[in-house]
Amino acid sequence: MNYVVIGGDAAGMSAAMEIYRHDSEAHIITLEKGFHYSYGQCGLPYVLDGRIENAEDVVHKTAAQFKDKYGIDTREGHCVTAVHPKEKTVSGFDVQTKETFEIAYDRLIIATGASPKKVLKDEAYNLDGIYFFKTIPQTKQLQQAINDAEVVTIIGGGYIALELAETLTMAGKKVRMLIRSQQVVSFLESDFAEMIHEELRQKGVDVLFNEQLVSYDGNDHVSSVTTTTATYDTDIVIEAVGVKPSTDFVKDSGIHMLKNGAIVVDSHMETNIPSIYAAGDCATHYHIIKGQNTYLPLGTTANKQGRIAGLNMASIPEQFKGIVGSAILKCFDLEIGTTGLIEKELKDLNIPYEVVTFETGNHAGYYPNVEKLHLKMYWHKDDQQLLGLRVIGKKGVDKRIDVFATALYHASTLRQLIDLDLSYAPPFNSVWDPIQQLAKRQF
Ligand SMILES: Cc1cc2nc3c(=O)[nH]c(=O)nc-3n(C[C@H](O)[C@H](O)[C@H](O)COP(=O)(O)OP(=O)(O)OC[C@H]3O[C@@H](n4cnc5c(N)ncnc54)[C@H](O)[C@@H]3O)c2cc1C
């Protein structure tokens, strides 16, 4: 059987490895337009302040390793420009030689990820000194650029923008964030977002809101950024305003997509065209609580969806059950975790809910160095089924978010949360974990 994988990172190579494991007759070709396979983009911000020494350290396996160890025909610099479902082929070109190719498949997976969105029209980016942040080459370019830069302006306030604000400040740069809305990260309620704003200010980041980008100005190199509010001098700019699925090349193929370009997949990760699968940042993500397809591009989901796609492609029927919307990030000394729905989503979906905001310690109060944990929990008004949790603090956010995510995944109620047998010792916890304390207070 001929398997073709488009995209050589998280989703694509997870699929390729499952096919390799489960079909001993498989002939697997992977087509990657770049020159890196299977790497952790999530680690790249930490290259900028030297916490991770080299950008290449985030590579999990190289194309040569996949080839030598697993016999996967990994091709680099191979950009796919079209999928032809009738002929069961994909076509494209070699980015170095410009030679074209056409390759036949029996089963195909599209795992092309997502690309940074641009705020302005293409011609606004003709100046040097404007960067996007996603790949290893982009990280290396930015590393070079910050050597000579004093002031860095970040456009955007999402989690990547926050990670960049931290690492560039740690690298000794003067960082300004220009944010279009009134708060950072859209998955937080405003009172919780305000805690991040305070942390940014305390660490010296100039964070400005209601800043609608108008233009980048300068001669050959950007020297200022103009918004609807003011003009700001800068040495370089990084635009980090979110991503869009990299699926333009399939728009004439008949494959169904959401409005934003995410390829619609079923629970087997198959598209509306049999034998064509999709996974990761280029595909839809079924949300268990919402009961609908959403778009929430994250590495953890890309790996899981890639695995499920690969199994199904190798004729092992497995289903992707969906996500509950869990994410965690670090911004200087703060840890921020979220799972489930936020208030705005609950209102939009007309789900009747109760909400409580609560502050407690991350571990037993009598044990040294206790840190505050701020929690906001939602549950269904009628049956008390859990709906969402936000947690912010300096320590112990991950434990609470992941326990709650597990409970959400299994559609637990407040009472079931109280009954959970969670680990306890004073350096880690109180006898009642913070999420159980919060649940217990409702009875
Ligand atoms: C700075 C940063 C930090 C992040 N931090 C986190 C985190 O902490 N936690 C988390 O869960 N997620 C994080 N993410 C998101 C995570 O990296 C992505 O969700 C994940 O990489 C998606 O995997 P993917 O395989 O779907 O897509 P990608 O990793 O984007 O891979 C797609 C591949 O397809 C290739 N490709 C695209 N088009 C074509 C084409 N036409 N022909 C051939 N090849 C093509 C691309 O070159 C790319 O290599 C972060 C992302 C970034 C950029």
Side-chain angles (χ1 to χ4, degrees):
M1 176 97 72
N2 280 331
Y3 297 92
V4 171
V5 176
I6 315 175
D9 197 21
M13 296 320 288
S14 296
M17 285 306 296
E18 290 304 331
I19 298 167
Y20 161 80
R21 288 186 191 108
H22 295 281
D23 181 355
S24 55
E25 307 278 291
H27 176 230
I28 310 167
I29 300 176
T30 59
L31 304 169
E32 165 56 52
K33 72 175 179 184
F35 292 88
H36 290 97
Y37 265 73
S38 190
Y39 65 101
Q41 286 160 26
C42 319
L44 291 175
Y46 306 101
V47 173
L48 298 176
D49 64 1
R51 248 174 280 186
I52 295 174
E53 211 171 306
N54 298 303
E56 256 95 8
D57 291 349
V58 305
V59 173
H60 177 57
K61 269 195 197 77
T62 63
Q65 285 168 328
F66 281 114
K67 196 171 274 179
D68 296 345
K69 202 159 172 198
Y70 308 109
I72 297 174
D73 183 352
T74 45
R75 303 188 189 177
E76 296 163 281
H78 275 57
C79 182
V80 176
T81 49
V83 172
H84 314 284
K86 252 197 198 146
E87 296 79 11
K88 288 193 117 180
T89 61
V90 300
S91 56
F93 67 99
D94 182 313
V95 301
Q96 283 175 322
T97 64
K98 306 293 174 218
E99 262 176 51
T100 57
F101 61 78
E102 180 137 7
I103 298 170
Y105 64 82
D106 296 308
R107 290 186 183 158
L108 170 72
I109 176 165
I110 301 164
T112 45
S115 343
K117 281 187 200 162
K118 285 181 176 170
V119 181
L120 302 174
K121 297 227 166 80
D122 281 346
E123 49 275 23
Y125 299 88
N126 290 337
L127 297 171
D128 289 340
I130 305 169
Y131 296 89
F132 296 91
F133 194 77
K134 180 171 167 73
T135 62
I136 289 176
Q138 285 169 342
T139 306
K140 287 180 170 175
Q141 280 171 12
L142 189 57
Q143 247 182 324
Q144 281 286 320
I146 61 173
N147 283 335
D148 304 321
E150 204 178 310
V151 180
V152 180
T153 302
I154 298 172
I155 312 292
Y159 77 92
I160 294 175
L162 287 173
E163 289 172 353
L164 290 171
E166 175 188 329
T167 54
L168 291 165
T169 303
M170 299 305 277
K173 307 300 155 194
K174 177 89 201 88
V175 177
R176 176 193 299 122
M177 295 182 84
L178 299 179
I179 298 167
R180 194 179 57 173
S181 67
Q182 287 172 11
Q183 68 165 69
V184 294
V185 282
S186 55
F187 59 72
L188 282 183
E189 293 78 357
S190 56
D191 52 339
F192 272 43
E194 185 51 37
M195 293 180 220
I196 306 179
H197 302 165
E198 192 46 39
E199 177 75 359
L200 289 166
R201 288 185 200 112
Q202 271 185 22
K203 294 297 191 298
V205 176
D206 190 12
V207 54
L208 301 164
F209 302 100
N210 301 310
E211 296 279 357
Q212 185 98 32
L213 182 63
V214 173
S215 65
Y216 296 126
D217 309 297
N219 289 327
D220 296 330
H221 195 283
V222 67
S223 56
S224 64
V225 178
T226 300
T227 68
T228 40
T229 314
T231 293
Y232 302 95
D233 289 342
T234 194
D235 295 322
I236 60 171
V237 173
I238 308 170
E239 228 182 77
V241 296
V243 295
K244 60 176 175 44
S246 303
T247 53
D248 282 356
F249 70 103
V250 290
K251 66 176 189 294
D252 299 325
S253 65
I255 296 173
H256 292 169
M257 296 191 250
L258 295 184
K259 235 180 171 170
N260 75 340
I263 296 172
V264 178
V265 287
D266 64 17
S267 60
H268 300 283
M269 309 310 303
E270 200 166 17
T271 67
N272 60 307
I273 300 184
S275 300
I276 301 185
Y277 295 75
D281 285 9
C282 67
T284 52
H285 311 114
Y286 181 76
H287 198 296
I288 294 172
I289 309 174
K290 290 186 177 178
Q292 55 186 233
N293 268 330
T294 55
Y295 185 66
L296 230 162
L298 284 171
T300 167
T301 311
N303 279 280
K304 291 185 189 91
Q305 288 193 326
R307 173 181 170 272
I308 298 287
L311 286 169
N312 283 285
M313 290 170 78
S315 303
I316 298 187
E318 280 248 11
Q319 287 190 312
F320 179 66
K321 304 278 182 328
I323 58 167
V324 290
S326 309
I328 190 160
L329 82 119
K330 178 179 167 306
C331 179
F332 293 99
D333 295 335
L334 275 189
E335 300 173 354
I336 302 112
T338 181
T339 187
L341 304 183
I342 61 170
E343 191 149 22
K344 183 182 175 313
E345 291 170 313
L346 290 163
K347 283 185 176 154
D348 289 349
L349 291 164
N350 279 323
I351 299 176
Y353 64 90
E354 303 267 12
V355 56
V356 166
T357 306
F358 180 64
E359 187 186 298
T360 185
N362 67 313
H363 57 55
Y366 55 78
Y367 189 83
N369 303 322
V370 66
E371 294 285 0
K372 271 187 202 159
L373 268 187
H374 303 269
L375 300 99
K376 193 185 282 285
M377 188 186 286
Y378 297 89
W379 60 92
H380 200 289
K381 203 170 185 161
D382 303 335
D383 58 10
Q384 297 181 330
Q385 190 171 319
L386 304 176
L387 292 171
L389 180 75
R390 308 295 86 72
V391 188
I392 294 195
K394 291 189 174 169
K395 270 189 212 161
V397 168
D398 51 348
K399 176 177 166 91
R400 279 74 209 197
I401 280 297
D402 283 346
V403 168
F404 198 91
T406 310
L408 268 184
Y409 190 85
H410 294 288
S412 306
T413 62
L414 271 183
R415 278 183 198 282
Q416 287 167 328
L417 187 61
I418 296 170
D419 290 342
L420 285 181
D421 178 22
L422 302 180
S423 61
Y424 159 68
F428 303 101
N429 216 346
S430 299
V431 279
W432 290 100
D433 187 85
I435 55 175
Q436 292 176 315
Q437 290 174 39
L438 205 161
K440 211 158 64 72
R441 286 157 68 106
Q442 312 314 316
F443 297 97

